[in-house]
Amino acid sequence: MILAICIQTNGIGDTRSEEDGMGYGIRVVLVMNRKGGSGKSTLCRALASAAASRGETVTIFDTDASKSCLKWMQAGQAAGNWSPLVEVIHTLDAHRVVEAIDQIYEQPDQEHLILIDTFGGGSEAQDVLAVAAHRIICPMMLSRGDLSETLETASWYLKLRGRVDNPDELAGFSVVFSRVQVRLSEAERAVADELFRSLPACEAWLSSRSAYVRMDKEGLLGPIADKTPNRGLAAHLQTAVKEAGELLDEIDQLIAAPAEVA
Ligand SMILES: Nc1ncnc2c1ncn2[C@@H]1O[C@H](COP(=O)(O)OP(=O)(O)OP(=O)(O)O)[C@@H](O)[C@H]1O
Ligand SMILES: [Mg+2]
């Protein structure tokens, strides 16, 4: 199935403060793909690491029953690889997420990245979360299985656009390639080409890196790098922070100036 998808402006500009030279303000990024193991939680952790390294406040709403990101925070705190800027809140209740986001809006001006990690499979709760988001990011690995589930996820998104009162106010949808190898196989290249023909994808991606595997086990990338005495290993960790930061920049720019046609 090839989807021709036309993504409009998300119409959400009220939290931007870039014109004032003050950064991006509050951004709500919903990370979803029906495919289990497509890299959703790793993407949330990498973006949180990049934002915290910039001194931003980060809230991750972990809506997965496995508590993957909540356990990650607990492991990171126990190992001393954490930052007071980053908080993970676990809840299976999408309405609670929306209420908590509303409370964040009531706080004074701030640079605040809000990430919503979801579980594979999809549910009606994800409609509620999508309406609260400024951007929907769909990570996928370069496999046939990830491609077909990504197209299914985009199909859910298009149907949602048809259901909401004002589709122009719905967040835009972008794919992000995850766990990308340095050299793509023929099969991986074919999957990427097919995706590009079907859906909008970010130019930045997350490479396959041992730094992300370490992050998933030990906590935020920046504090892990700071505590790593081996300069070579620390440089690898900082390269991962930089890569995630470039992706965060692209997502921030999509939110700030979202009009596009894919
Ligand atoms: N960029 C990457 N480099 C190396 N390993 C990665 C990368 N992205 C994901 N992984 C690994 O792939 C596995 C699946 O990733 P992850 O848990 O983020 O997927 P998920 O979409 O959150 O899964 P689920 O649907 O079960 O929540 C994990 O073991 C993770 O460490
Ligand atoms: Mg996960």
Side-chain angles (χ1 to χ4, degrees):
M1 173 179 57
I2 302 288
L3 289 170
I5 188 167
C6 174
I7 312 292
Q8 306 290 329
T9 167
N10 65 13
I12 297 169
D14 49 351
T15 61
R16 306 288 96 200
S17 51
E18 199 184 20
E19 319 81 71
D20 310 324
M22 292 175 65
Y24 287 108
I26 300 171
R27 300 92 82 206
V28 181
V29 177
L30 174 62
V31 178
M32 66 170 304
N33 189 328
R34 288 172 179 234
K35 174 82 169 53
S38 59
K40 297 178 286 293
S41 300
T42 302
L43 180 67
C44 287
R45 294 165 187 153
L47 293 176
S49 294
S53 290
R54 290 178 190 175
E56 294 187 11
T57 307
V58 181
T59 303
I60 301 178
F61 290 101
D62 178 354
T63 66
D64 188 336
S66 72
K67 301 187 177 172
S68 158
C69 281
L70 183 72
K71 289 177 186 164
W72 171 63
M73 175 176 72
Q74 290 162 346
Q77 287 172 333
N81 297 323
W82 203 251
S83 158
L85 292 171
V86 183
E87 184 183 17
V88 179
I89 298 171
H90 180 261
T91 176
L92 302 180
D93 181 348
H95 295 284
R96 255 202 72 202
V97 173
V98 174
E99 277 165 28
I101 291 172
D102 284 344
Q103 283 166 10
I104 291 171
Y105 282 128
E106 283 166 17
Q107 293 164 17
D109 276 357
Q110 54 187 305
E111 293 301 298
H112 198 142
L113 178 66
I114 301 172
L115 298 158
I116 308 173
D117 188 21
T118 60
F119 51 94
S123 74
E124 279 176 23
Q126 293 182 345
D127 289 13
V128 175
L129 297 174
V131 170
H134 297 156
R135 197 79 197 175
I136 300 168
I137 295 293
C138 181
M140 68 168 267
M141 297 183 188
L142 289 170
S143 73
R144 285 274 144 204
D146 275 42
L147 176 63
S148 66
E149 295 279 353
T150 298
L151 293 172
E152 283 299 317
T153 306
S155 171
W156 156 81
Y157 171 77
L158 280 182
K159 285 184 195 138
L160 179 62
R161 283 186 73 87
R163 283 200 299 275
V164 294
D165 291 339
N166 193 345
D168 289 345
E169 286 189 1
L170 190 65
F173 179 98
S174 305
V175 173
V176 168
F177 292 132
S178 66
R179 212 173 183 174
V180 178
Q181 304 289 341
V182 178
R183 282 198 180 75
L184 296 190
S185 67
E186 281 301 310
E188 287 171 333
R189 198 173 295 280
V191 167
D193 287 346
E194 202 167 323
L195 188 282
F196 282 132
R197 285 197 297 274
S198 315
L199 293 174
C202 288
E203 286 176 22
W205 65 81
L206 287 194
S207 307
S208 179
R209 291 181 187 275
S210 56
Y212 294 131
V213 177
R214 249 190 104 178
M215 170 192 76
D216 281 339
K217 291 192 183 119
E218 297 175 32
L220 291 161
L221 280 170
I224 299 173
D226 291 344
K227 285 172 58 190
T228 299
N230 179 310
R231 286 168 64 180
L233 282 178
H236 280 303
L237 289 154
Q238 290 298 356
T239 303
V241 177
K242 186 163 175 281
E243 179 177 69
E246 285 167 3
L247 177 57
L248 181 57
D249 280 339
E250 189 174 349
I251 294 170
D252 280 337
Q253 282 157 21
L254 283 169
I255 292 171
E260 79 210 40
V261 173

